[in-house]
Amino acid sequence: MVAPSLQALAKKMLVVGGTGGVGFQVCKVAVARGWDVTSLSRRGKPTLTEANQKDFVAPQGWTQKVNWAQGDSLNPSTYKEAIAGTDSVVHTVGLLLEDDYKEILHSQNFDELSKSVQTAIRGQNPLDTRKAPKTGLTYEKVNRDTAITVANEAAKEGIESFAFVSAAFAPPMVPNRYITTKREAETALLTHPAGFRSVIFRPGFLSTSDRPFTLPLAGILQVSSAILGDSVRGTIPFAQALSTPPLEMETLARAIVNSLENPEIKGIIDVEGIAELANNPHTQNVGGSKKAVEENKPKDSKIE
């Protein structure tokens, strides 16, 4: 059992997308730290699965301490009560494919994953941006507008910090709008007139035991990234995907909560920074904090 942190005592956290993979883990970590946690999602309470059912069965389980609020992040009138008095916001909502993406994310094995991807591609060519998605959910609405809308409402509450889960790159065969809309959201948050502390997380591939199909791919990427290193990263999307180390969702969740409890953390956190922050909550060697530390070093200092 993790002892509640002094920074979290009597503070309220709103997790946008708290029923999703990363959001669910953020709620779990934050509750253990003593935060007053509210999850905001369209469905309200999470769907029970074999992986998390035990968390809901136990009367004293951590999920009983979360306020599972239902609302539309694009419609502030649906979450006025949920956002009231919020100190920090964590935005974990994201759209990978504009059609059938939920089926892909919730696939439990490679057979289900293959069928879901084929269905998505048949329904809408991911490289064809001229077609409107059947679901009505677009990259602009989900990846960008939800973050900006919630940030504007949270600013009225005088929030201290806003953590945004972005991405290191657009995965192969995924439209470039996936990453450009996330970058647009990043810019809006980092330059928001309210001046709250923004922390942007840019992970690569994320795995979790709750989604078994992610584990084999994470293993492959762990090996490929160790072999390729930084030599090909940033050249072409496929090479970047193979050279970027994967992360566990639980690791990203710890890094997010640590960033909210460390007032020195701000700016963009890359994959290496996420791992560092997850294991060292007091670090200043990540994101904008790292840049500030480096700029404040004596210019004539030398390493012997």
Side-chain angles (χ1 to χ4, degrees):
M1 178 69 179
V2 180
S5 60
L6 293 177
Q7 295 93 331
L9 291 178
K11 288 197 173 184
K12 181 176 179 179
M13 178 188 298
L14 176 68
V15 182
V16 183
T19 57
V22 174
F24 193 72
Q25 294 299 328
V26 169
C27 291
K28 185 175 183 178
V29 174
V31 165
R33 299 281 187 86
W35 285 82
D36 177 4
V37 181
T38 294
S39 163
L40 175 66
S41 67
R42 286 177 175 271
R43 76 176 73 144
K45 285 191 175 182
T47 301
L48 296 183
T49 65
E50 291 182 1
N52 62 32
Q53 187 172 11
K54 61 181 181 297
D55 293 321
F56 287 87
V57 173
Q60 301 303 320
W62 69 268
T63 59
Q64 307 302 318
K65 300 178 182 178
V66 176
N67 173 29
W68 302 102
Q70 186 174 22
D72 179 359
S73 51
L74 289 172
N75 184 358
S77 65
T78 65
Y79 55 90
K80 282 187 176 182
E81 183 176 343
I83 203 171
T86 295
D87 296 294
S88 295
V89 173
V90 180
H91 185 282
T92 67
V93 174
L95 186 65
L96 184 62
L97 294 174
E98 290 183 328
D99 275 328
D100 304 304
Y101 77 103
K102 285 296 185 183
E103 285 76 8
I104 293 175
L105 293 181
H106 292 147
S107 299
Q108 295 298 306
N109 52 56
F110 282 109
D111 183 53
E112 290 183 11
L113 176 63
S114 176
K115 291 179 180 179
S116 297
V117 171
Q118 291 177 28
T119 300
I121 293 177
R122 283 198 302 267
Q124 178 186 349
N125 182 348
L127 301 181
D128 185 357
T129 60
R130 294 171 299 176
K131 294 181 180 180
K134 294 177 295 184
T135 60
L137 297 176
T138 65
Y139 293 118
E140 288 75 18
K141 286 183 179 180
V142 179
N143 292 351
R144 182 192 65 199
D145 297 347
T146 58
I148 296 175
T149 301
V150 173
N152 290 339
E153 292 304 307
K156 298 175 184 178
E157 300 296 323
I159 62 165
E160 299 173 2
S161 51
F162 194 111
F164 176 69
V165 178
S166 185
F169 51 85
M173 295 302 294
V174 171
N176 194 52
R177 284 170 47 240
Y178 164 80
I179 198 66
T180 57
T181 50
K182 282 184 174 290
R183 295 292 181 262
E184 288 166 359
E186 292 178 9
T187 300
L189 294 171
L190 291 169
T191 60
H192 199 283
F196 48 72
R197 180 169 58 93
S198 295
V199 189
I200 310 298
F201 291 88
R202 290 183 177 178
F205 182 77
L206 294 170
S207 66
T208 175
S209 58
D210 289 354
R211 295 174 183 172
F213 80 90
T214 64
L215 301 180
L217 182 53
I220 293 172
L221 293 176
Q222 192 68 55
V223 174
S224 65
S225 63
I227 295 174
L228 296 175
D230 296 330
S231 59
V232 297
R233 193 178 304 174
T235 55
I236 59 176
F238 190 66
Q240 189 168 7
L242 287 175
S243 62
T244 301
L247 290 169
E248 293 182 353
M249 291 185 186
E250 295 83 352
T251 299
L252 176 56
R254 290 202 313 274
I256 291 172
V257 176
N258 285 345
S259 75
L260 299 181
E261 296 180 355
N262 185 342
E264 301 300 322
I265 302 299
K266 60 182 179 180
I268 298 171
I269 314 295
D270 59 15
V271 175
E272 290 77 9
I274 293 171
E276 164 71 15
L277 185 55
N279 295 318
N280 182 7
H282 303 295
T283 185
Q284 294 186 29
N285 196 37
V286 296
S289 304
K290 178 179 180 180
K291 182 179 179 181
V293 170
E294 291 176 346
E295 290 177 346
N296 289 329
K297 286 182 179 179
K299 295 183 178 180
D300 59 349
S301 62
K302 296 182 179 180
I303 300 177
E304 301 296 338

